[in-house]
Amino acid sequence: MNLARNVARAIGAQSRRLRRRPGGGRTSRPEPVEPQSSGARPDDRDPQLLGRAIDRLVDSRGWTTEVSVHLLLSKWPALVGPTNAEHTHPESYVDTVLTVRADSTAWATSLRSMAPQLVATLNKQLGDGTVTRIRVLGPDAPSWKHGRRSVRGRGPRDTYG
């Protein structure tokens, strides 16, 4: 009990001490800072709703098209169907070209055949000219060109997919 009282007294004594200014004078309190207010009318400094602030940021940066495309691509299974969505996924959207990766060459071929309809659907929902082409890539093949046991030549003869 005595220990707690001693600690409380020490803390109280420290808080009551006067602080010294760099110039040598003493002060007991920091000088108050005038609050900044925006005035009677609405201003940019007033609190904003988060959704409205994000919309303003997206518009000011010119991200409207990219955000719309990515929101629509988050619904990829609804666009291509659940079976195709299991084996394909969108990778990127750059300069009106949508790049899609497929699990195998068979699924890549299937998606290439439906690409014109998919471009039309995307442009109908996003606006004409938003997506001009869909680039479908097959699976990534392992590289046999590096390592201790690499040999010059054409490498293994398989399509990996």
Side-chain angles (χ1 to χ4, degrees):
M1 208 58 162
N2 278 339
L3 179 62
R5 285 186 190 144
N6 291 337
V7 169
R9 281 187 203 135
I11 290 174
Q14 283 180 352
S15 66
R16 286 188 292 258
R17 287 186 193 149
L18 296 176
R19 296 184 185 158
R20 291 184 182 256
R21 282 189 172 170
R26 294 181 157 216
T27 181
S28 61
R29 294 183 189 162
E31 294 180 20
V33 177
E34 290 294 320
Q36 232 183 11
S37 62
S38 64
R41 290 182 173 47
D43 193 358
D44 285 339
R45 294 176 289 176
D46 289 337
Q48 302 287 322
L49 295 174
L50 183 60
R52 189 176 301 152
I54 290 175
D55 288 342
R56 285 179 45 193
L57 175 69
V58 167
D59 288 339
S60 69
R61 299 288 179 150
W63 297 338
T64 307
T65 303
E66 284 81 10
V67 169
S68 299
V69 168
H70 286 92
L71 283 174
L72 189 61
L73 292 180
S74 67
K75 302 169 186 161
W76 185 248
L79 290 171
V80 296
T83 307
N84 284 328
E86 288 179 24
H87 300 283
T88 61
H89 63 276
E91 278 193 347
S92 66
Y93 172 77
V94 178
D95 296 331
T96 71
V97 177
L98 175 64
T99 303
V100 179
R101 174 78 60 186
D103 290 346
S104 67
T105 54
W107 287 107
T109 303
S110 171
L111 192 63
R112 281 186 194 106
S113 68
M114 64 184 291
Q117 293 87 4
L118 191 57
V119 168
T121 303
L122 290 169
N123 283 329
K124 185 170 72 171
Q125 293 183 8
L126 297 169
D128 287 336
T130 305
V131 178
T132 56
R133 187 168 68 98
I134 295 181
R135 192 172 135 218
V136 182
L137 304 175
D140 287 330
S143 173
W144 299 98
K145 301 290 183 188
H146 305 288
R148 294 184 335 182
R149 303 191 194 281
S150 64
V151 178
R152 285 185 153 171
R154 291 178 39 201
R157 313 290 182 267
D158 194 357
T159 60
Y160 295 102

